[in-house]
Amino acid sequence: MNKMTVKDLDIKGKKVIIRADFNVPLDKNLKITDDRRIQASMPTIKYVLDNGASKVILMSHLGRPKGDGPEDEFRLTPVAVRLQELLGEKVLKLDDCIGDDVKAKIAGSQERVILLENLRFYKQEKKNDPEFAKSLASLADVYVDDAFGTAHRAHASVAGITEYLPSGAGFLLEKEIRYLGGVVTNPERPLVVILGGAKVSDKITLVENLIKKSDAILIGGGMAYTFLKSQGKNVGNSKLEADKVEIAGELLEKAKAAGVNMVLTTDFLVVEAFDKPETRKIVTDIPDGWESLDIGPETREKFKEVLATAKTIVWNGPVGVFEVDEYAEGTKDIAEYIATLKDVTSIVGGGDSAAAVSKFNVEDAMTHISTGGGASLEFLEGKELPGIAALKDK
Ligand code: AMP
């Protein structure tokens, strides 16, 4: 990767501001229910501390505040508590993210680590407002971006700020660029892509881009039925995007022309209704009135045969409704199978596929699990991400 990273920056004795992704889920008592995003930022924070930075100033957004001032439910206080535990040292949590008071508190702080308040309490953050970016930049000497989850957004703390400070990627962002960037530019072949999830419409650009790069594309999940419909198959009451049938057909044609092995679901786990799991059965032709919620055993074997040939696997989207145990078998089987494969780079796109891999306890067996849902999708679509584009080449 040829972008500047934290290792290329002079941080000794400097105040380093790090944009992290601390957008963690909170329950109604404002307790963090999953701290993986905070944990994921630890290597960069620790590196900066261990390499002589005088202060580490951390910033993030959390949730979706309105953007016209503080809202208690979106304060970063719970994050400060967890950071403190993970770092084993006191973290100074401030109630704002810009201004003279913030500057004075940073200057007077005993603590090495300071956490600013939610960036999105200011609407200027999402607008990439230059004055706001400048105010953030004025708090530090050096900027490190470690927030892959927001890399697809040109926000002030990700894009604008790089205009004013020497900037580089943190380790988390670097890893995302290395793995996802590797898939887009020069994947080790064969590249097998497995796609699922709810909607075709979300993934048209992705399929188009991946047809140019992959050797095989396996399609399961809710998006499969629109493709099957384009082939004249019965889909019963399964998820269907009627206005996307034509384009699904075109994508299949394009794949064929490009010599990409596109594998669709051939057998299905169907039910009479979503809330009637007791009616489930395996069919190869979906009966009228029935709904398919998972791939069947024959499809699982077909998918596995192709996966076995891969040197690189990209997985984006569950192949069934894995959140419900009765409909989870396909996704579980595929996840566990990928985990057994040797000599393969396995990359899991963020969001639901990452949740599935975690649910089935095979996280450690994957080469890379992306921390960004939308960002990883856009990266794999071949789009330039503003948060990465903003960083200078070495
Ligand atoms: P996405 O956010 O597009 O990755 O979609 C993920 C969602 O797709 C998950 O919540 C799954 O429950 C859902 N899904 C997967 N397979 C199916 C299916 N056969 N029918 C309906 N929804 C599905």
Side-chain angles (χ1 to χ4, degrees), residues 196-199 202-203 221-222 225 239 291-294 316-323 352:
K199 287 200 195 143
D202 288 347
K203 297 197 179 154
Y225 313 104
K239 219 171 191 75
E291 180 178 7
S292 169
L293 294 172
D294 195 9
N316 190 301
V319 296
V321 181
F322 76 99
E323 299 93 335
D352 289 298

Short mmCIF file of all heavy atoms in Angstrom, two decimals, residues 196-199 202-203 221-222 225 239 291-294 316-323 352, ligand 1:
data_model
loop_
_atom_site.label_atom_id
_atom_site.label_comp_id
_atom_site.label_asym_id
_atom_site.label_seq_id
_atom_site.Cartn_x
_atom_site.Cartn_y
_atom_site.Cartn_z
N GLY A 196 -24.66 -12.60 -0.85
CA GLY A 196 -25.99 -12.88 -0.34
C GLY A 196 -26.57 -11.59 0.17
O GLY A 196 -26.23 -10.52 -0.31
N GLY A 197 -27.41 -11.70 1.19
CA GLY A 197 -28.02 -10.49 1.73
C GLY A 197 -29.36 -10.24 1.11
O GLY A 197 -29.82 -11.00 0.25
N ALA A 198 -29.98 -9.18 1.56
CA ALA A 198 -31.37 -8.98 1.26
C ALA A 198 -31.64 -8.53 -0.17
O ALA A 198 -32.52 -9.05 -0.84
CB ALA A 198 -31.96 -8.00 2.26
N LYS A 199 -30.89 -7.58 -0.65
CA LYS A 199 -31.33 -6.89 -1.87
C LYS A 199 -30.35 -6.93 -3.02
O LYS A 199 -29.17 -6.67 -2.85
CB LYS A 199 -31.56 -5.43 -1.52
CG LYS A 199 -32.79 -5.15 -0.68
CD LYS A 199 -33.07 -3.73 -0.88
CE LYS A 199 -33.96 -2.97 -0.03
NZ LYS A 199 -33.41 -1.62 0.14
N ASP A 202 -28.94 -3.27 -3.88
CA ASP A 202 -27.75 -2.80 -3.16
C ASP A 202 -26.46 -3.26 -3.82
O ASP A 202 -25.40 -2.73 -3.55
CB ASP A 202 -27.71 -3.40 -1.73
CG ASP A 202 -28.76 -2.80 -0.84
OD1 ASP A 202 -29.34 -1.77 -1.21
OD2 ASP A 202 -29.00 -3.37 0.25
N LYS A 203 -26.56 -4.32 -4.61
CA LYS A 203 -25.31 -4.99 -5.02
C LYS A 203 -25.07 -5.05 -6.52
O LYS A 203 -24.15 -5.72 -6.97
CB LYS A 203 -25.28 -6.39 -4.41
CG LYS A 203 -25.27 -6.25 -2.89
CD LYS A 203 -24.86 -7.40 -2.07
CE LYS A 203 -24.90 -6.98 -0.59
NZ LYS A 203 -25.11 -8.06 0.33
N GLY A 221 -28.86 -16.14 -0.59
CA GLY A 221 -29.56 -15.08 0.15
C GLY A 221 -30.78 -14.55 -0.57
O GLY A 221 -31.21 -15.09 -1.60
N GLY A 222 -31.29 -13.47 -0.03
CA GLY A 222 -32.50 -12.86 -0.58
C GLY A 222 -32.32 -12.35 -2.00
O GLY A 222 -33.28 -12.25 -2.76
N TYR A 225 -33.21 -14.70 -5.62
CA TYR A 225 -34.50 -14.98 -6.29
C TYR A 225 -34.76 -14.07 -7.47
O TYR A 225 -35.42 -14.46 -8.43
CB TYR A 225 -35.64 -14.93 -5.26
CG TYR A 225 -35.26 -15.73 -4.03
CD1 TYR A 225 -34.87 -15.11 -2.84
CD2 TYR A 225 -35.18 -17.12 -4.10
CE1 TYR A 225 -34.44 -15.84 -1.75
CE2 TYR A 225 -34.74 -17.87 -3.01
CZ TYR A 225 -34.37 -17.21 -1.84
OH TYR A 225 -33.92 -17.94 -0.77
N LYS A 239 -38.31 -13.31 -1.49
CA LYS A 239 -37.93 -11.92 -1.74
C LYS A 239 -37.67 -11.71 -3.23
O LYS A 239 -36.91 -12.44 -3.83
CB LYS A 239 -36.63 -11.63 -0.97
CG LYS A 239 -36.62 -10.27 -0.36
CD LYS A 239 -35.45 -10.07 0.58
CE LYS A 239 -35.62 -8.82 1.37
NZ LYS A 239 -36.57 -8.87 2.44
N GLU A 291 -42.17 -19.59 0.71
CA GLU A 291 -41.10 -18.59 0.74
C GLU A 291 -39.78 -19.28 1.05
O GLU A 291 -39.70 -20.07 1.98
CB GLU A 291 -41.43 -17.56 1.84
CG GLU A 291 -40.42 -16.47 1.99
CD GLU A 291 -40.82 -15.45 3.08
OE1 GLU A 291 -41.83 -15.68 3.79
OE2 GLU A 291 -40.11 -14.45 3.20
N SER A 292 -38.75 -18.96 0.29
CA SER A 292 -37.44 -19.56 0.55
C SER A 292 -36.61 -18.64 1.45
O SER A 292 -36.50 -17.45 1.19
CB SER A 292 -36.70 -19.79 -0.76
OG SER A 292 -35.35 -20.12 -0.48
N LEU A 293 -36.04 -19.23 2.49
CA LEU A 293 -35.29 -18.42 3.46
C LEU A 293 -33.84 -18.88 3.65
O LEU A 293 -33.09 -18.30 4.42
CB LEU A 293 -36.01 -18.41 4.81
CG LEU A 293 -37.38 -17.71 4.77
CD1 LEU A 293 -38.13 -17.91 6.07
CD2 LEU A 293 -37.24 -16.22 4.47
N ASP A 294 -33.47 -19.94 2.92
CA ASP A 294 -32.08 -20.40 3.02
C ASP A 294 -31.76 -21.25 1.79
O ASP A 294 -32.68 -21.73 1.12
CB ASP A 294 -31.90 -21.24 4.31
CG ASP A 294 -30.43 -21.45 4.68
OD1 ASP A 294 -29.55 -20.82 4.04
OD2 ASP A 294 -30.16 -22.24 5.62
N ASN A 316 -19.68 -11.45 0.92
CA ASN A 316 -20.48 -10.29 1.29
C ASN A 316 -21.96 -10.67 1.30
O ASN A 316 -22.56 -10.89 0.26
CB ASN A 316 -20.22 -9.16 0.28
CG ASN A 316 -20.83 -7.85 0.74
OD1 ASN A 316 -22.04 -7.76 0.95
ND2 ASN A 316 -20.01 -6.85 0.94
N GLY A 317 -22.51 -10.80 2.48
CA GLY A 317 -23.95 -11.07 2.62
C GLY A 317 -24.26 -12.52 2.95
O GLY A 317 -23.75 -13.44 2.31
N PRO A 318 -25.07 -12.74 3.99
CA PRO A 318 -25.45 -14.10 4.38
C PRO A 318 -26.29 -14.79 3.29
O PRO A 318 -27.02 -14.13 2.56
CB PRO A 318 -26.28 -13.89 5.64
CG PRO A 318 -26.73 -12.47 5.59
CD PRO A 318 -25.69 -11.71 4.84
N VAL A 319 -26.18 -16.12 3.19
CA VAL A 319 -26.92 -16.84 2.15
C VAL A 319 -28.33 -17.24 2.59
O VAL A 319 -29.10 -17.81 1.83
CB VAL A 319 -26.15 -18.09 1.67
CG1 VAL A 319 -24.84 -17.69 1.01
CG2 VAL A 319 -25.91 -19.08 2.81
N GLY A 320 -28.66 -16.94 3.85
CA GLY A 320 -30.01 -17.20 4.34
C GLY A 320 -30.29 -16.28 5.51
O GLY A 320 -29.44 -15.46 5.88
N VAL A 321 -31.48 -16.43 6.08
CA VAL A 321 -31.83 -15.59 7.23
C VAL A 321 -31.15 -16.18 8.47
O VAL A 321 -31.76 -16.86 9.28
CB VAL A 321 -33.37 -15.51 7.39
CG1 VAL A 321 -33.75 -14.62 8.57
CG2 VAL A 321 -34.01 -14.96 6.12
N PHE A 322 -29.85 -15.91 8.59
CA PHE A 322 -29.02 -16.59 9.60
C PHE A 322 -29.37 -16.16 11.03
O PHE A 322 -29.00 -16.84 11.99
CB PHE A 322 -27.53 -16.32 9.35
CG PHE A 322 -27.10 -14.94 9.76
CD1 PHE A 322 -26.46 -14.74 10.97
CD2 PHE A 322 -27.39 -13.85 8.97
CE1 PHE A 322 -26.09 -13.46 11.38
CE2 PHE A 322 -27.03 -12.57 9.36
CZ PHE A 322 -26.38 -12.38 10.57
N GLU A 323 -30.10 -15.05 11.17
CA GLU A 323 -30.45 -14.57 12.50
C GLU A 323 -31.44 -15.52 13.19
O GLU A 323 -31.55 -15.54 14.41
CB GLU A 323 -31.09 -13.17 12.44
CG GLU A 323 -30.21 -12.08 11.84
CD GLU A 323 -30.41 -11.88 10.34
OE1 GLU A 323 -30.83 -12.85 9.66
OE2 GLU A 323 -30.11 -10.79 9.85
N ASP A 352 -23.58 -7.59 7.91
CA ASP A 352 -24.22 -8.85 8.27
C ASP A 352 -23.33 -10.07 8.13
O ASP A 352 -23.42 -11.00 8.92
CB ASP A 352 -25.47 -9.05 7.42
CG ASP A 352 -26.56 -8.09 7.85
OD1 ASP A 352 -26.99 -8.18 9.00
OD2 ASP A 352 -26.95 -7.24 7.03
P1 AMP B 1 -27.74 -7.23 3.61
O1 AMP B 1 -27.87 -6.16 4.64
O2 AMP B 1 -28.17 -6.81 2.24
O3 AMP B 1 -26.40 -7.94 3.64
O4 AMP B 1 -28.84 -8.31 4.00
C1 AMP B 1 -28.72 -9.10 5.11
C2 AMP B 1 -30.03 -9.69 5.42
O5 AMP B 1 -30.48 -10.51 4.38
C3 AMP B 1 -29.98 -10.55 6.66
O6 AMP B 1 -30.65 -9.89 7.69
C4 AMP B 1 -30.70 -11.83 6.22
O7 AMP B 1 -31.67 -12.20 7.16
C5 AMP B 1 -31.37 -11.45 4.92
N1 AMP B 1 -31.57 -12.62 4.07
C6 AMP B 1 -30.67 -13.55 3.75
N2 AMP B 1 -31.25 -14.52 3.00
C7 AMP B 1 -32.55 -14.20 2.86
C8 AMP B 1 -33.66 -14.82 2.21
N3 AMP B 1 -33.54 -15.97 1.58
N4 AMP B 1 -34.84 -14.19 2.27
C9 AMP B 1 -34.96 -13.03 2.95
N5 AMP B 1 -33.96 -12.40 3.57
C10 AMP B 1 -32.75 -12.98 3.54
#
